[in-house]
Amino acid sequence: MLKNLLALVVGSLLFMGSSSFVHFQKGDVDRVKLSTLSQIDDVKQVKVLYKDGKVKVVDLRKTPLHTLEYDPNVVYVEPPIRMYPLVDVVRNSSVGMSGVGFRSFSLRTYQGQRLIINAHSDTFSVSGSCSPAGSEYLCQDGTLNFNIGSSSRWHLSISSPNRRVDSSDVQGITAYYLGTNASLSGRTGRGVIIGIVDSGINICHPSFRKSDGTTRILYYYRAPTRENYDANQINSMINSGRCNLDSGGHGTHVAGIAAGSNVGFYTGVAPEADLIVVNVEDTQGIIYDNYVINALEYLKNKKIALRKPMVVNLSLGFNSGPHDGTSLLEKKIQELSSPGFVVVASAGNEGHSPIHARVPNVSQETTVRVSIRNSSEEIIDGWYTRGSLYRVEFCKGGQCVGVNPNQGHIYPVVGGCSVRMENTPNHQLNGDGRFTIEIRNCTGEAQVKLVPQGQAGTVDMYIGTFQSQSRFLDYTAQDSFGGYLGTVAQPGTSTYVITVGSIDTKYVGEDPSTLFNLGHVSFFSSRGPTRDGRIKPDIVAGGSFVCSANASYTNTDPSRCGEGELF
């Protein structure tokens, strides 16, 4: 069984990893030497699941695949899965409100309270107990009166960095809670380490330096190359002007939200926490889950050595997989999780996209339409109830091809598409059935046919290519705000991960639509439940258009926040 699986791994990598399409019939794939995988330039590692439940990343340059083939303790081998940057959350106590027409209402304020007010309306004015102070309002005990109006819908948010804003303080209109209140908890992160697994960081940014100018970063580690720098080496890099170790800017942005110290009027959730930053981008700026597994192992070892509690932030995710907590990355998180070592992950950015279709009780032939809009490559990843069996067919332009259980096949031309299909009942990850349809070189409407060959079960399908424009046209479900259910990315579907979704919290002038759902889940934030029916995300907080540390900051304006930082 493992030999066949390894052959499929090879076939999958040859199909998806080469610059041009490689045509193989099933028999050809079985005859490909396992050593071929180690010769593919961009695949040097695989993930391996062992009988004891442990997950390890294996370097094929040191341990060739034929060694894994004959290892009786190996259960499952999987190539790297690409991951993508996701959103994070914000800090202050805040409320929001919206309406149509003209309204007057009031807010009770307190001596020394600071307010940040954002309004999207035709007319707006305030009077009473607060006075403008730069970009904020400074308040006394009393009442602040609001007059706001618009010929269409208006939106308003009120944020306080130094005092809780209760909805009961607002009189004359309904207010929704927006912020996390982290700034008022009295907890600053002192004595805690925050592990940032992302695209890197700008080590010179004032948000990550102490008052004496030295770094707050204990270690900086590049998982793909195993480069490791301690605080002394990081300080030397700062002094020499080697600053920006973050080509994409996402890691710096996320680190600023999590642990940025006070620069201007922006402060992270835990401004006194220590930082360990792991860069998981390869030389092409791509993130794969095997690097994330390496990062988690590195961080757990540092947590043990330093004897401090650690929270790991993963603002990363991927869509192809079981969505029930049993992907290899999620198994690794389960393996490493312990008191004092907690992983937090973003829910995902695809709540507005119908990338998930659920077909319950499939007892007769059922067709699910899908619109393919990604011409280079697309993946449909299907999972079906343990014990049920299905023939799976892909149809386009009146032509259908398919695979029965325990079959895999490559079809060079199907309605103008190149298609590779696999169908594996009793998958090694969780015992459920899985089928994959990998599609290249075509667009347009296609159909997936499910033909039962045994007892009825539920079938879940996912568009596996991240932020693809492809979408299912049937068997999708939405919540009351229009978000699509079952879209939470992995590893956010893990029981051992605290999964965070996004709500809209403020108006941004460049995009008035940012407050159309003021106080509600952001249109893009991925929704649950998981495939096995658990509620995810676990919490939501402001995650849309958040200003944080800029990897390309300047010394004259260290608090600059621009388009590149509005994730």
Side-chain angles (χ1 to χ4, degrees):
M1 180 64 181
L2 180 60
K3 182 176 181 180
N4 290 336
L5 177 63
L6 288 169
L8 291 176
V9 170
V10 174
S12 177
L13 285 159
L14 288 173
F15 183 88
M16 301 303 294
S18 58
S19 58
S20 59
F21 189 88
V22 179
H23 299 290
F24 285 113
Q25 297 299 320
K26 180 62 168 61
D28 296 327
V29 175
D30 287 340
R31 289 195 296 271
V32 173
K33 292 182 179 180
L34 297 177
S35 60
T36 303
L37 179 57
S38 62
Q39 297 170 9
I40 300 176
D41 290 339
D42 58 349
V43 180
K44 297 180 176 65
Q45 296 179 335
V46 292
K47 298 160 294 177
V48 180
L49 175 64
Y50 292 88
K51 284 184 178 179
D52 62 2
K54 299 288 183 66
V55 175
K56 295 182 180 179
V57 175
V58 174
D59 191 328
L60 296 178
R61 294 164 294 186
K62 298 178 180 178
T63 306
L65 274 175
H66 65 77
T67 301
L68 298 175
E69 177 187 359
Y70 295 105
D71 186 338
N73 295 312
V74 172
V75 175
Y76 178 64
V77 179
E78 184 178 82
I81 296 175
R82 185 172 180 177
M83 301 183 70
Y84 297 82
L86 304 175
V87 299
D88 218 298
V89 299
V90 292
R91 174 180 175 83
N92 290 340
S93 172
S94 55
V95 295
M97 55 283 295
S98 64
V100 177
F102 294 84
R103 293 290 299 271
S104 297
F105 56 93
S106 64
L107 172 72
R108 181 182 177 185
T109 63
Y110 301 86
Q111 178 68 34
Q113 184 175 19
R114 293 154 46 208
L115 297 179
I116 302 169
I117 301 173
N118 290 292
H120 171 48
S121 62
D122 293 337
T123 62
F124 172 72
S125 64
V126 295
S127 62
S129 57
C130 303
S131 301
S135 60
E136 300 181 347
Y137 287 80
L138 184 61
C139 302
Q140 311 291 324
D141 287 331
T143 300
L144 183 65
N145 301 302
F146 292 80
N147 293 283
I148 190 169
S150 179
S151 56
S152 57
R153 180 165 291 275
W154 55 263
H155 307 282
L156 177 74
S157 70
I158 305 170
S159 172
S160 178
N162 67 337
R163 185 181 180 92
R164 178 179 173 86
V165 180
D166 286 310
S167 61
S168 58
D169 291 335
V170 181
Q171 300 295 318
I173 196 170
T174 299
Y176 299 94
Y177 285 114
L178 302 179
T180 61
N181 296 323
S183 61
L184 310 179
S185 67
R187 301 180 184 275
T188 62
R190 180 178 297 180
V192 176
I193 300 170
I194 296 181
I196 302 293
V197 180
D198 214 286
S199 61
I201 193 168
N202 187 316
I203 59 175
C204 296
H205 198 289
S207 288
F208 314 119
R209 296 166 74 176
K210 302 174 185 177
S211 57
D212 63 3
T214 59
T215 187
R216 294 171 52 212
I217 304 169
L218 301 181
Y219 292 94
Y220 173 81
Y221 179 67
R222 286 207 72 232
T225 61
R226 309 280 181 163
E227 297 172 71
N228 186 59
Y229 302 90
D230 63 18
N232 290 330
Q233 293 169 308
I234 294 170
N235 283 324
S236 296
M237 293 164 68
I238 292 173
N239 293 333
S240 66
R242 184 184 172 191
C243 293
N244 194 358
L245 309 180
D246 182 3
S247 60
H250 189 263
T252 301
H253 175 84
V254 166
I257 296 171
S261 55
N262 187 16
V263 177
F265 48 86
Y266 300 120
T267 304
V269 175
E272 293 189 298
D274 293 320
L275 285 163
I276 298 179
V277 178
V278 184
N279 186 333
V280 287
E281 284 191 346
D282 66 11
T283 55
Q284 304 300 315
I286 298 174
I287 297 173
Y288 291 101
D289 61 346
N290 55 309
Y291 296 143
V292 175
I293 290 174
N294 289 334
L296 292 170
E297 292 175 332
Y298 174 86
L299 290 170
K300 182 61 179 283
N301 289 334
K302 289 299 183 187
K303 176 258 183 298
I304 294 171
L306 297 171
R307 298 183 178 182
K308 286 186 176 182
M310 181 182 292
V311 177
V312 179
N313 187 88
L314 292 178
S315 293
L316 308 167
F318 59 95
N319 290 328
S320 180
H323 290 79
D324 61 1
T326 63
S327 71
L328 289 186
L329 175 56
E330 291 169 320
K331 286 179 183 289
K332 189 65 181 184
I333 292 172
Q334 178 179 348
E335 176 187 325
L336 296 175
S337 293
S338 63
F341 189 81
V342 178
V343 176
V344 180
S346 296
N349 294 353
E350 298 190 289
H352 61 301
S353 299
I355 64 166
H356 169 244
R358 163 163 277 210
V359 189
N361 193 31
V362 185
S363 57
Q364 59 185 3
E365 182 177 310
T366 302
T367 298
V368 181
R369 294 176 301 144
V370 58
S371 175
I372 303 170
R373 303 183 183 182
N374 187 4
S375 61
S376 57
E377 60 183 41
E378 192 58 87
I379 301 172
I380 298 173
D381 192 9
W383 295 80
Y384 51 89
T385 306
R386 183 181 312 185
S388 58
L389 291 173
Y390 296 95
R391 172 177 170 80
V392 180
E393 297 183 356
F394 175 82
C395 303
K396 191 173 188 301
Q399 183 180 3
C400 294
V401 294
V403 285
N404 292 316
N406 291 310
Q407 284 187 341
H409 205 86
I410 292 177
Y411 298 95
V413 181
V414 182
C417 306
S418 301
V419 180
R420 182 178 187 274
M421 303 179 69
E422 295 176 15
N423 189 352
T424 307
N426 193 31
H427 196 273
Q428 291 87 348
L429 287 177
N430 54 15
D432 291 342
R434 181 187 194 181
F435 63 86
T436 56
I437 306 172
E438 300 171 8
I439 309 156
R440 278 196 170 192
N441 304 327
C442 69
T443 57
E445 184 176 314
Q447 301 82 38
V448 178
K449 286 187 179 180
L450 307 170
V451 183
Q453 295 187 346
Q455 68 184 52
T458 295
V459 179
D460 289 273
M461 290 183 284
Y462 303 88
I463 301 293
T465 306
F466 192 79
Q467 292 187 335
S468 168
Q469 296 301 308
S470 299
R471 58 200 59 225
F472 291 107
L473 304 177
D474 303 306
Y475 296 98
T476 62
Q478 293 176 271
D479 62 19
S480 58
F481 301 110
Y484 286 92
L485 303 184
T487 54
V488 170
Q490 299 156 116
T493 56
S494 168
T495 305
Y496 292 83
V497 167
I498 298 174
T499 307
V500 185
S502 170
I503 56 174
D504 287 342
T505 58
K506 61 184 179 182
Y507 163 63
V508 177
E510 296 89 341
D511 184 4
S513 68
T514 52
L515 283 190
F516 285 177
N517 287 324
L518 181 66
H520 299 151
V521 177
S522 302
F523 77 96
F524 62 83
S525 187
S526 292
R527 272 71 159 175
T530 61
R531 192 172 65 87
D532 55 334
R534 290 174 290 111
I535 294 175
K536 286 283 184 174
D538 300 293
I539 60 174
V540 293
S544 176
F545 285 83
V546 178
C547 189
S548 182
N550 186 333
S552 301
Y553 86 102
T554 62
N555 288 323
T556 57
D557 187 11
S559 62
R560 181 170 68 89
C561 176
E563 288 254 334
E565 290 67 59
L566 300 180
F567 286 90

